Structure formats: structure tokens, C-alpha cells
Amino acid sequence: MKEADGDSALDRATEEALALFADQRSAKRSRAGADDRFPDGGAQAPGRSGAGGAEPRRAGPAYDGPAYDASAHDGQSPLAYFPFDEMPVGGGVVDGGRAMRTARAAHATRGPSVPAPAQPPAYDDFPFTGIDDTGISGTDDTGIVQDGKDRKRARDMTADDTPHAPHGATPWRTARAVAAAAAVALPAEDRALGDALGQVLAEPLVALTDLPSFDTSAMDGWAVSGPGPWKLPPPGAQDVLAGRPGARPLRDGGAVRIATGAPVPPGATAVLRSEHGEVTVKGELLAARHVSHGQDIRPRGGECRQGDELVPAGTLVTPALLGLAAAAGYDELTVVRRPRVDVLVLGDELLREGLPEGGLIRDALGPMLGPWLRALGAEPGEALFLGDDEDALYEALAASTADVVVTTGGTASGPVDHVHPTLRRLGAELLVDGVAVRPGHPMLLARPGPGRHVVGLPGNPLAAVAGLLTLAEPLLRGLTGRVPGEPVRAVLAEAVSGHPEDTRLVPVAYDGAGRVRPLRFHGPAMLRGLAAADGMAVVPAGGAGRAAEVQVLGLP
């Protein structure tokens, strides 16, 4: 393509993107009555929330704001649209765009010959193309938006990119609280030790015996009685070994060879380590250092006595707990049953293998959800791919006997978004219908019947993860009987831009100094940032500045 043709195509894409962005701002401002330049109006056009699909859009008047002056930005491309969740997270922008508007006003006063002061991008003033790659997701390595990408972003913009929360969306923290309160711990079951890993104790773990159950040698050496020197038995006498009870009692002044873990003979007062003793030619044992009473003997019941509570109910069964349970005499544990989860993947555009082609995309959620749900304590079945078939979705939900059904995509109100109509058809109770969080606000939580729940996740991968962390995690925590821990908090190494009204979940990584650093590639359809993340920072509406403390959600 010729350079002039590319510029023309980019200009056209930019105009389309600006008009679409202005339409959305118009819808928001007309509702608030804050700006007479953007009149009310605009019907909602159909959309969808499945992977790769567009969310509901609002039509409205063309952009009538100040014209963009390219001469003020040497070497920069014209303004282009970036979805909010693909804009840089660093830069300290937490003022909702006021700094950028002030800079533009000053630039208009001075004239185009004086460059406007450089300001980081804010939510209401999307970043320029041509910015370097220190935070722009969705660009190439130079940070320049390539030919045609602007138009595609405008065309494929989802509800996660719109600059306002959906009407009636539940606040993020409230949604998590509702999901946690909706769950009641499932019934208990007895599982063999090898099968109980990752479940939660339904009963306290009580010691069935003393630990240790006899006085035990902590070292290889000699069991001795009284002060030294000590007389050893004649050559050929049997040593005291682990697993061989019945050692003869020691008399005062006597000693015998002993192995680690062996029962200490009656009458022994200490164990002398091999490296601390010396045997003379006369068969006497001498100590190279002082030996105190009880030295290197593990006394019976030193760790616990029979009947002691070792850990309380609600404790997660870890490998260490399995070892403790085995030492305390258990062959099986009484644990809370794992929730059974069915996963329904929706969308005709999804491929299950091979390279994307012909307008189709690879399914990223099917391979990810099973391991993620298992890490949350659930027992997921094999994902079922239903496409965009409303009847198939209804039949799958109606036939499911799982404790939880997780769906992906189809949670908005487009022509092939069937989750809401199907839930109404089933008579399900909607507990959460949309959450004020970016990405992922079209998520939902429903109860189709007693003891059954449906978690509807958006189709975009990172938005779906936001739904997992917001609704599925607290719901499954309650069903599995897990006790919530204290929220993890960390200090931001960089400022993070915020949505004006909604909570924002941003992938972050620890920087080695106890702080967290926001990562690139955090758009709703992206997983690259999440794959490198240690957690998801919970950024409040308006954003958070450098050194601000934020909650960090853990990842499996």
C-alpha cells in the first residue's frame, strides 16, 4: 500500500473511531445532563458478548468537539481510538482527563507553533498513536497503530470498552459479597488420604495417638545413662535400630549404639552424637563436650497428646497436612465434598485446535477454565461446546445436575446472546446481573434451583477471568467450606489509570521490593499480561497513584 493510501485509510478509520467514541460520551453525558453539546438520543444496536463479538453499542450524533491539530504533534499520527482496557496503565492519570483538557486549552491559546505540554493519556482522552511502547497494548513493537487496526477496534469494541457502567450494575465488592453469601458448604464425605488433597476439612483433625508415640533418638550416636565416661557392651552386642523395639534397659554408666528414630532404651538419660564421642581402646566412651540430661531425645508426646486438636475444621488439605494426618494415625479424612461444575462454552466462532482462519478464533477459555476451577477446589467436567444454539443451551442447563454451571459468552443482549433468555425460560433467580468492573462487567450469577448456581462469564478471555475472580471464586469458596483469608495488599510501583465509575482489575507483577507493577497487554481479549502476572490489582474508580496501596487478588 502506498504511504498516501495508508494515511487516507488511517484518517478514515480515525474519524469513524472518534465518532463512535463521541457517541458513547454523548449517551453518558446526556443521561447526566452535564454537557449540552451532546443531545440525548441514540438507540441501542444489537451486539453480543461472545469471544470476538461486539457488545451493545449506542448510536448518536457525530463528534462536534475541537478539531485535532496534527501540527502540534511532530511525528505523531492522527488521534486514534484505543479501548479503555488497552490503554497504558502507568503515567499517574487519575483525574478523569482534566489534565489533558487543560493542556489542550492552553495549546489553543498559544497557537500551533508552541507545542502543548506532554501529558499522559486519561480515560476521557484516549492516547495518541505514535507513543512509544512503554504501555500501549494492541500496537506493534514501535507503538504505532498499523493500517486498518483502528477501524477494527472501533468495529469490534465491546461493552468492556464503553466509558460508562451498565445501568444497575452491582458494585464490585457487593457482587463478591453476594456470591459468597449465596453459597452453603456442601455435605461432608470421607476420602482416602491420597484423594483428599485440595479439599477442606469438615471436622477438626484430632490426634489419634501421642506424637511421637515413644521416646525416640533424634541422632545417630550412643544412648547413655548418667554421667560419663560410659562402658560399652562387648563387641558383637546388638545395636538399637529404628523399627526394632525391645532394647534392653541401660544401667547407670552404660551406653549402647543407637540409630536415628530408634526407641530410646529404658534408663537412658541422653543421646551422645557420633561426632561428639570417642571410644578408647579399653572400650570406654568419652564425650568431647558436655552432655545435658535429655539431649537429642524426642520425648513421647512432645508434639501432641492423643485427643489434641491439630488443626480446625475449614483447613485446606495441603501435602503437609496429609503428612501430619498420617503421622497422627489417619487413613482417611472427613472433608467437604468438591462442587461439581459443568462448563458450557458458547460461540460459533470458536476453533478447538489449529491456527485461527476464516474469521474464526481459537477458544482460550475451554483449556483454561478446567484447571482454574480445579485450583479453586471444584471438580469440573469436560467442557461442552454448544456454539450459539439457544435450544442446546437450554437443554444443557436444564439437564445439568452439577452444583455450578459456568458459561462463557452470550451474557449481553445481542441477537445470539442466549444466556439471559434461557435463564428466564428456566425461571432462574438472578442474584447478580452485571458488575461495575472493567473488564468483564456483563458477568452474572443466577440460581436456577435449590443448591444450583450459574456463573455467566463474558466471552473475552481476560474479562472471563475477571468474572472468575469476582463471582466464581467466592461462590466456590463458600461451597467448599474454605475460610476466607485476610485480603492481600501491596503498594503500586506505578500509577494506574482508573475508570471514572467502575472498579478496575489490572494484571500486576511483584517487582522484588514488595511492590506491584502493572503489566502491559491487559485488554479484555488479551491473556499475555495475565500469563506474566502474580495477581490482579483492584484499582478503585478514578485510579490509583504511585505508592498507593491496593488489594491484590491471587492467581492459581
Side-chain angles (χ1 to χ4, degrees), residues 236-513:
Q238 186 175 7
D239 296 337
V240 182
L241 304 177
R244 296 182 184 178
R248 295 179 179 179
L250 280 179
R251 295 183 178 180
D252 187 37
V256 65
R257 291 285 300 185
I258 192 169
T260 300
V264 175
T269 55
V271 170
L272 176 65
R273 301 184 184 189
S274 296
E275 60 270 27
H276 295 163
E278 181 181 352
V279 179
T280 68
V281 294
K282 296 182 179 180
E284 287 187 327
L285 175 65
L286 305 178
R289 59 181 64 187
H290 174 73
V291 180
S292 60
H293 188 83
Q295 178 177 304
D296 288 326
I297 293 178
R298 298 187 183 119
R300 175 175 180 165
E303 185 171 0
C304 67
R305 289 291 184 179
Q306 182 179 355
D308 287 351
E309 182 177 310
L310 303 178
V311 292
T315 301
L316 183 68
V317 177
T318 63
L321 191 145
L322 289 175
L324 174 62
Y330 284 85
D331 298 319
E332 57 184 25
L333 294 174
T334 302
V335 292
V336 179
R337 178 174 67 79
R338 289 179 179 270
R340 293 186 296 270
V341 180
D342 285 342
V343 177
L344 307 181
V345 181
L346 312 181
D348 287 339
E349 70 275 30
L350 300 178
L351 286 172
R352 299 175 62 181
E353 61 183 13
L355 293 174
E357 60 181 358
L360 303 178
I361 61 174
R362 276 296 298 269
D363 166 54
L365 294 179
M368 181 175 67
L369 286 179
W372 200 302
L373 292 167
R374 196 170 292 111
L376 294 177
E379 189 176 290
E382 186 175 352
L384 181 63
F385 291 77
L386 300 181
D388 287 319
D389 188 325
E390 182 176 5
D391 290 334
L393 175 60
Y394 172 81
E395 292 171 4
L397 285 174
S400 175
T401 59
D403 304 291
V404 179
V405 178
V406 175
T407 65
T408 69
T411 53
S413 56
V416 291
D417 291 334
H418 301 309
V419 174
H420 279 93
T422 301
L423 291 174
R424 288 193 294 269
R425 188 175 170 188
L426 289 168
E429 176 188 5
L430 274 175
L431 304 179
V432 175
D433 188 10
V435 178
V437 66
R438 306 303 170 103
H441 67 71
M443 66 182 75
L444 63 84
L445 173 64
R447 182 185 288 141
R452 296 182 57 210
H453 294 88
V454 174
V455 177
L457 303 178
N460 278 321
L462 189 60
V465 169
L468 282 172
L469 296 174
T470 302
L471 298 178
E473 188 274 334
L475 176 70
L476 292 174
R477 186 178 65 230
L479 293 174
T480 58
R482 300 190 188 197
V483 178
E486 288 296 319
V488 176
R489 303 189 69 83
V491 171
L492 288 171
E494 302 173 19
V496 181
S497 303
H499 187 278
E501 302 170 4
D502 296 350
T503 300
R504 192 170 178 218
L505 303 183
V506 178
V508 293
Y510 285 96
D511 67 355

Side-chain angles (χ1 to χ4, degrees), residues 65-229:
Y68 174 76
D69 188 351
S71 64
H73 304 276
D74 295 338
Q76 302 288 337
S77 302
L79 245 181
Y81 171 80
F82 274 87
F84 167 65
D85 287 303
E86 297 184 15
M87 64 181 287
V89 292
V93 181
V94 294
D95 63 350
R98 290 188 296 274
M100 182 66 80
R101 287 192 289 270
T102 301
R104 283 184 171 173
H107 167 64
T109 302
R110 290 192 300 271
S113 61
V114 181
Q119 294 287 344
Y123 178 82
D124 287 331
D125 298 86
F126 290 98
F128 299 103
T129 59
I131 298 175
D132 65 21
D133 63 348
T134 58
I136 301 290
S137 296
T139 63
D140 68 357
D141 292 339
T142 66
I144 305 295
V145 177
Q146 298 301 297
D147 180 57
K149 289 187 178 179
D150 297 280
R151 181 183 291 108
K152 186 177 187 302
R153 273 198 188 85
R155 185 175 63 248
D156 293 344
M157 186 173 65
T158 69
D160 290 322
D161 305 319
T162 57
H164 56 81
H167 178 68
T170 305
W172 181 77
R173 295 189 186 280
T174 302
R176 280 175 60 84
V178 169
V184 176
L186 294 172
E189 62 181 2
D190 292 332
R191 298 294 293 267
L193 289 185
D195 297 330
L197 183 66
Q199 292 182 254
V200 171
L201 291 178
E203 300 175 352
L205 188 71
V206 176
L208 302 179
T209 183
D210 296 343
L211 283 182
S213 56
F214 51 84
D215 292 345
T216 306
S217 175
M219 293 289 170
D220 292 330
W222 296 269
V224 299
S225 179

Side-chain angles (χ1 to χ4, degrees), residues 5-54:
D5 294 339
D7 291 342
S8 176
L10 185 57
D11 289 344
R12 290 194 302 272
T14 297
E15 291 171 1
E16 294 172 11
L18 282 174
L20 185 55
F21 169 48
D23 294 346
Q24 293 172 332
R25 285 175 55 172
S26 169
K28 174 186 175 184
R29 294 184 180 182
S30 63
R31 287 193 301 273
D35 195 333
D36 293 336
R37 293 183 306 152
F38 295 86
D40 290 336
Q44 182 169 337
R48 56 164 301 171
S49 66

